[in-house]
């Protein structure tokens, strides 16, 4: 018979690894991905300004090569021959003094919190010779400590905007003069017939013989004006928000325009003052709609006409008031009534086109 099976022996040592087989053939390469965009793209009508930019290396049309100053960016735009261009000013602090814009079509776009300062007696921006100029901001600075919007500040006697024979559009700006000199420091001075639109701006003077908007002898012969949703203020001895001041050489006045949803504040005298030694004011026609007039001096006039002839004004739902009883009222005129009884509101195209 068969005997009992014996115990299983111990497992032997593992044998050496065999030789590796040949590598397989390389698979087909996948499709190449889309090439990413480059910041060296050359824009045709834009130039950038940034506090970290350089006037030495800035290039017109290159977002990756911004200029350091607004004047240098403007000069690059003119040299480009583009004909019309936009200056994109990125957030930061800048200085501008005596920048002359002549026969150009220029838009300056202020992005976010931009502060432009002028400490000299030179004008900040000089716009002349049939230029079309716009300065537009995202939001205006409210002169609080938040510093979130755009503001233009002049601490000297220079004007913010000197305008001659041009079209100027200002939107969402805080325009402020801190000068207390006895004369000068106007925020806007219209030197020759022009078209001016102001929308959503604060325009603030600090006194002296200063005005928010001044029109010279030549300007009042044919100027078109539109002011909407804005605030005009003169402090201290600043006597007038808008002042038309000819000195005898002008012919008949022809200021036409509209003022809507705007607040005027003066310390004394008049919010709007047509002061003339010329033949007649009869060519002037303004429409006022839903405005507020406020004077610290209860004897102040909201409109004053010192010239011969009749200024034509249409008034719709305006409010007049001050801290006390306003004795001055809306009209102070010599020698005729200012109010236009015909209610002949002007064709808006005369100031918008």
């Amino acid at each position: 018979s068969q005997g009992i099976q014996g115990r299983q022996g111990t497992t032997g040592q593992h044998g050496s690894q065999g030789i590796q087989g040949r590598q397989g053939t390389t698979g087909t390469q996948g499709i190449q991905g889309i090439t990413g965009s480059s910041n060296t793209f050359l824009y045709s009508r834009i130039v950038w300004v940034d506090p970290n930019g350089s006037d030495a290396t800035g290039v017109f049309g290159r977002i990756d090569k911004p200029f350091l100053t607004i004047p240098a960016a403007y000069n690059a735009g003119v040299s480009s021959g583009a004909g019309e261009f936009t200056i994109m000013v990125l957030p930061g602090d800048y200085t501008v003094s005596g920048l002359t814009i002549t026969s150009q079509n220029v838009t300056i776009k202020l992005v976010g919190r931009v502060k432009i300062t002028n400490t000299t007696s030179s004008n900040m921006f000089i716009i002349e010779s049939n230029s079309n100029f716009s300065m537009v901001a995202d939001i205006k600075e409210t002169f609080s400590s938040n510093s979130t919007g755009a503001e233009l500040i002049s601490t000297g006697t220079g004007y913010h905007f000197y305008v001659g024979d041009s079209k100027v559009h200002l939107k969402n700006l805080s325009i402020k003069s801190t000068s207390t000199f006895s004369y000068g420091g106007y925020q806007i001075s219209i030197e020759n017939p022009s078209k001016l639109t102001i929308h959503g701006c604060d325009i603030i003077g600090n006194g002296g013989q200063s005005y928010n908007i001044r029109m010279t002898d030549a300007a009042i012969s044919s100027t078109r004006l539109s002011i909407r949703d804005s605030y005009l203020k003169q402090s201290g001895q600043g006597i007038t928000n808008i002042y038309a001041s000819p000195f005898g050489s002008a012919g008949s006045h022809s200021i036409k325009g509209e003022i809507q949803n705007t607040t005027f504040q003066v310390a004394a005298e008049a919010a709007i003052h047509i002061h003339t030694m010329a033949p007649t004011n009869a060519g002037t026609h303004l429409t006022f709609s839903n405005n507020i007039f406020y004077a610290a001096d209860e004897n102040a006039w909201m409109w004053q006409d010192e010239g011969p002839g009749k200024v034509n004004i249409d008034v719709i739902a305006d409010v007049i008031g001050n801290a006390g009883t306003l004795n001055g009222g809306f009209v102070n005129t010599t020698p005729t009534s200012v109010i236009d009884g015909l209610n002949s509101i002007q064709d808006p195209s005369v100031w918008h086109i």
Side-chain angles (χ1 to χ4, degrees):
S1 63
Q2 184 174 344
I4 300 171
Q5 182 174 345
R7 296 179 179 176
Q8 182 173 340
T10 58
T11 302
Q13 295 180 349
H14 193 280
S16 59
Q17 184 173 341
I19 300 172
Q20 182 175 343
R22 295 179 180 179
Q23 181 175 339
T25 58
T26 303
T28 304
Q29 182 175 341
I31 299 173
Q32 181 175 338
I34 299 173
T35 303
S37 60
S38 171
N39 64 358
T40 61
F41 181 83
L42 186 65
Y43 293 82
S44 63
R45 289 183 172 86
I46 303 179
V47 58
W48 279 267
V49 182
D50 187 84
N52 289 334
S54 169
D55 290 345
T57 61
V59 176
F60 181 86
R62 290 278 295 273
I63 192 173
D64 62 319
K65 292 186 177 295
F67 288 83
L68 175 63
T69 65
I70 296 172
Y74 169 76
N75 291 333
V78 174
S79 298
S80 74
E84 59 176 279
F85 58 92
T86 296
I87 302 173
M88 298 289 289
V89 183
L90 301 178
D93 293 350
Y94 304 90
T95 59
V96 174
S97 176
L99 175 53
T100 300
I101 296 171
T102 303
S103 303
Q104 296 294 322
N105 302 311
V106 182
T107 297
I108 298 180
K109 178 67 166 64
L110 307 183
V111 180
R113 209 287 296 178
V114 173
K115 180 179 180 181
I116 302 176
T117 303
N118 179 22
T119 61
T120 74
S121 59
S122 298
N123 302 319
M124 187 179 290
F125 293 95
I126 302 166
I127 305 116
E128 58 188 10
S129 300
N130 296 310
S131 291
N132 294 308
F133 175 85
S134 294
M135 181 176 285
V136 180
D138 291 331
I139 187 172
K140 64 185 176 183
E141 170 59 59
T142 59
F143 301 118
S144 65
S145 59
N146 295 327
S147 295
T148 56
E151 59 180 335
L152 285 69
I153 296 180
S154 176
T155 62
T157 56
Y159 313 154
H160 289 76
F161 297 97
Y162 175 106
V163 182
D165 294 314
S166 296
K167 296 179 181 179
V168 174
H169 175 64
L170 307 175
K171 184 175 182 180
N172 295 340
L173 303 173
S174 290
I175 304 169
K176 183 179 182 182
S177 174
T178 62
S179 170
T180 57
F181 291 97
S182 59
Y183 188 81
Y186 312 130
Q187 287 77 67
I188 302 170
S189 183
I190 305 176
E191 303 289 327
N192 291 291
S194 299
K195 290 188 176 182
L196 175 66
T197 61
I198 300 171
H199 294 172
C201 294
D202 290 346
I203 307 177
I204 299 177
N206 196 40
Q209 189 78 3
S210 182
Y211 315 108
N212 299 129
I213 302 172
R214 182 190 73 153
M215 302 181 199
T216 65
D217 194 1
I220 63 175
S221 63
S222 180
T223 287
R224 304 296 179 256
L225 179 69
S226 173
I227 303 176
R228 296 185 179 184
D229 305 311
S230 296
Y231 172 55
L232 279 66
K233 179 184 178 183
Q234 280 294 345
S235 302
Q237 298 302 311
I239 59 174
T240 301
N241 299 120
I242 301 176
Y243 185 60
S245 57
F247 292 98
S249 61
S252 299
H253 298 186
S254 182
I255 304 170
K256 292 182 172 62
E258 58 166 3
I259 302 176
Q260 300 184 23
N261 304 319
T262 293
T263 297
F264 294 87
Q265 183 173 352
V266 292
E269 196 164 321
I272 301 174
H273 187 159
I274 299 292
H275 182 179
T276 180
M277 298 177 186
T280 179
N281 289 337
T284 294
H285 194 134
L286 296 173
T287 297
F288 294 87
S289 178
N290 298 314
N291 302 298
I292 296 175
F293 297 88
Y294 179 92
D297 181 355
E298 64 182 28
N299 293 309
W301 300 96
M302 297 301 97
W303 174 277
Q304 185 168 0
D305 171 23
E306 295 187 2
K310 179 182 178 182
V311 175
N312 301 299
I313 303 176
D314 296 311
V315 182
I316 305 170
D318 285 325
V319 177
I320 303 169
N322 75 333
T325 301
L326 187 67
N327 298 326
F330 189 82
V331 178
N332 177 22
T333 178
T334 304
T336 61
S337 174
V338 171
I339 300 298
D340 178 10
L342 300 177
N343 194 34
S344 52
I345 295 175
Q346 287 286 290
D347 177 357
S349 65
V350 300
W351 54 82
H352 281 300
I353 298 175

Coordinates of all heavy atoms in Angstrom, one line a residue, residues 123 125 127 159-164 186-192 194 196 211-216 219:
N123 N -2.5 128.4 -17.1 CA -3.8 127.6 -17.2 C -3.5 126.1 -17.3 O -2.5 125.7 -18.0 CB -4.6 128.1 -18.4 CG -4.9 129.6 -18.3 OD1 -5.2 130.1 -17.3 ND2 -4.8 130.3 -19.4
F125 N -5.5 123.6 -18.8 CA -5.7 123.1 -20.2 C -6.1 124.3 -21.1 O -7.0 125.1 -20.7 CB -6.9 122.1 -20.2 CG -6.5 120.8 -19.6 CD1 -6.8 120.5 -18.3 CD2 -5.8 119.8 -20.3 CE1 -6.5 119.4 -17.6 CE2 -5.5 118.6 -19.7 CZ -5.8 118.4 -18.3
I127 N -7.6 125.1 -24.7 CA -8.3 124.4 -25.9 C -8.7 125.5 -26.9 O -9.5 126.4 -26.6 CB -9.5 123.6 -25.4 CG1 -9.1 122.6 -24.3 CG2 -10.1 122.9 -26.6 CD1 -9.7 122.8 -23.0
Y159 N -6.3 129.2 -14.8 CA -7.6 128.6 -15.0 C -7.5 127.1 -15.2 O -6.5 126.6 -15.6 CB -8.3 129.2 -16.3 CG -8.2 130.7 -16.4 CD1 -8.3 131.3 -17.7 CD2 -8.1 131.6 -15.3 CE1 -8.3 132.7 -17.8 CE2 -8.1 132.9 -15.4 CZ -8.1 133.5 -16.7 OH -8.1 134.9 -16.8
H160 N -8.6 126.4 -14.9 CA -8.6 125.0 -15.2 C -8.7 124.8 -16.7 O -8.0 124.0 -17.3 CB -9.8 124.3 -14.5 CG -9.6 124.2 -13.0 ND1 -9.8 125.2 -12.2 CD2 -9.3 123.1 -12.3 CE1 -9.6 124.8 -11.0 NE2 -9.3 123.6 -11.0
F161 N -9.7 125.5 -17.4 CA -9.9 125.4 -18.8 C -10.0 126.7 -19.4 O -10.8 127.6 -19.0 CB -11.2 124.6 -19.1 CG -11.2 123.2 -18.6 CD1 -11.8 122.9 -17.4 CD2 -10.6 122.2 -19.3 CE1 -11.8 121.6 -16.9 CE2 -10.6 120.9 -18.8 CZ -11.2 120.6 -17.6
Y162 N -9.1 127.0 -20.4 CA -9.2 128.2 -21.2 C -9.7 127.8 -22.6 O -9.0 127.0 -23.3 CB -7.7 128.8 -21.2 CG -7.6 130.0 -22.1 CD1 -7.4 131.3 -21.6 CD2 -7.5 129.9 -23.5 CE1 -7.2 132.4 -22.4 CE2 -7.3 131.0 -24.3 CZ -7.1 132.2 -23.7 OH -6.9 133.3 -24.5
V163 N -10.8 128.3 -23.0 CA -11.5 127.8 -24.2 C -11.6 128.9 -25.2 O -12.1 130.0 -24.9 CB -12.9 127.2 -23.8 CG1 -13.5 126.7 -25.1 CG2 -12.8 126.2 -22.7
G164 N -11.2 128.6 -26.4 CA -11.3 129.6 -27.5 C -11.7 128.9 -28.8 O -10.9 128.0 -29.3
Y186 N -10.2 131.5 -12.3 CA -11.5 131.0 -12.9 C -11.4 129.5 -13.1 O -10.3 129.0 -13.5 CB -11.9 131.7 -14.2 CG -11.8 133.2 -14.1 CD1 -11.1 133.9 -15.1 CD2 -12.3 133.9 -13.1 CE1 -11.0 135.3 -15.1 CE2 -12.2 135.3 -13.0 CZ -11.5 136.0 -14.0 OH -11.4 137.3 -14.0
Q187 N -12.5 128.8 -13.0 CA -12.5 127.4 -13.3 C -12.6 127.2 -14.8 O -11.9 126.4 -15.4 CB -13.6 126.7 -12.6 CG -13.4 126.5 -11.1 CD -13.6 127.7 -10.3 OE1 -14.7 128.2 -10.2 NE2 -12.6 128.3 -9.7
I188 N -13.4 127.9 -15.5 CA -13.6 127.9 -16.9 C -13.6 129.3 -17.5 O -14.5 130.1 -17.0 CB -14.8 127.1 -17.3 CG1 -14.8 125.7 -16.8 CG2 -15.0 127.1 -18.9 CD1 -16.1 124.9 -16.9
S189 N -12.8 129.6 -18.5 CA -12.9 130.9 -19.1 C -13.0 130.7 -20.6 O -12.2 130.1 -21.3 CB -11.6 131.7 -18.8 OG -11.7 133.0 -19.4
I190 N -14.2 131.3 -21.1 CA -14.4 131.2 -22.6 C -14.0 132.5 -23.2 O -14.5 133.5 -22.9 CB -15.9 130.9 -22.8 CG1 -16.4 129.7 -22.0 CG2 -16.2 130.7 -24.3 CD1 -17.9 129.4 -22.1
E191 N -12.9 132.4 -24.0 CA -12.3 133.6 -24.6 C -12.8 134.0 -25.9 O -12.7 135.1 -26.3 CB -10.8 133.3 -24.6 CG -10.1 133.0 -23.3 CD -10.1 134.1 -22.3 OE1 -9.9 135.3 -22.8 OE2 -10.2 133.9 -21.1
N192 N -13.4 133.0 -26.7 CA -13.9 133.3 -28.0 C -15.1 132.4 -28.2 O -15.4 131.5 -27.4 CB -12.8 132.9 -29.1 CG -11.7 133.9 -29.1 OD1 -11.8 135.1 -29.4 ND2 -10.5 133.4 -28.6
S194 N -17.6 129.7 -28.6 CA -17.4 128.3 -28.4 C -18.7 127.6 -28.0 O -19.7 128.2 -27.8 CB -16.4 128.0 -27.3 OG -15.1 128.6 -27.6
L196 N -20.0 124.8 -25.1 CA -19.6 124.2 -23.9 C -20.7 123.4 -23.3 O -21.8 123.9 -23.1 CB -19.1 125.3 -22.9 CG -18.8 124.8 -21.5 CD1 -17.5 123.9 -21.5 CD2 -18.6 126.0 -20.5
Y211 N -14.9 133.5 -10.8 CA -16.1 133.0 -11.3 C -15.9 131.5 -11.7 O -14.9 131.1 -12.1 CB -16.5 133.8 -12.5 CG -16.4 135.3 -12.4 CD1 -15.4 136.0 -13.0 CD2 -17.2 136.0 -11.5 CE1 -15.2 137.4 -12.8 CE2 -17.1 137.4 -11.3 CZ -16.1 138.0 -11.9 OH -15.9 139.4 -11.7
N212 N -17.0 130.8 -11.6 CA -16.9 129.4 -12.1 C -16.8 129.3 -13.6 O -16.0 128.6 -14.1 CB -18.2 128.6 -11.7 CG -18.4 128.5 -10.2 OD1 -19.5 128.8 -9.6 ND2 -17.4 128.1 -9.4
I213 N -17.6 130.2 -14.3 CA -17.5 130.2 -15.7 C -17.5 131.7 -16.1 O -18.4 132.5 -15.7 CB -18.7 129.6 -16.4 CG1 -18.8 128.1 -16.0 CG2 -18.6 129.7 -17.9 CD1 -20.0 127.4 -16.5
R214 N -16.5 132.1 -16.9 CA -16.4 133.5 -17.3 C -16.4 133.5 -18.8 O -15.8 132.7 -19.5 CB -15.1 134.2 -16.9 CG -15.1 135.6 -17.3 CD -13.7 136.2 -17.0 NE -12.7 135.7 -17.9 CZ -11.6 136.4 -18.3 NH1 -11.4 137.6 -17.8 NH2 -10.7 135.9 -19.1
M215 N -17.2 134.5 -19.4 CA -17.2 134.7 -20.8 C -16.7 136.1 -21.1 O -17.2 137.1 -20.6 CB -18.6 134.5 -21.4 CG -19.3 133.2 -21.1 SD -21.0 133.1 -21.8 CE -21.6 131.8 -20.9
T216 N -15.7 136.2 -22.0 CA -15.1 137.4 -22.3 C -15.9 138.2 -23.4 O -16.9 137.7 -23.9 CB -13.7 137.3 -22.8 OG1 -13.8 136.6 -24.1 CG2 -12.9 136.5 -21.8
A219 N -16.3 136.2 -26.6 CA -17.1 135.0 -26.4 C -18.6 135.2 -26.5 O -19.3 134.4 -27.0 CB -16.7 134.3 -25.1

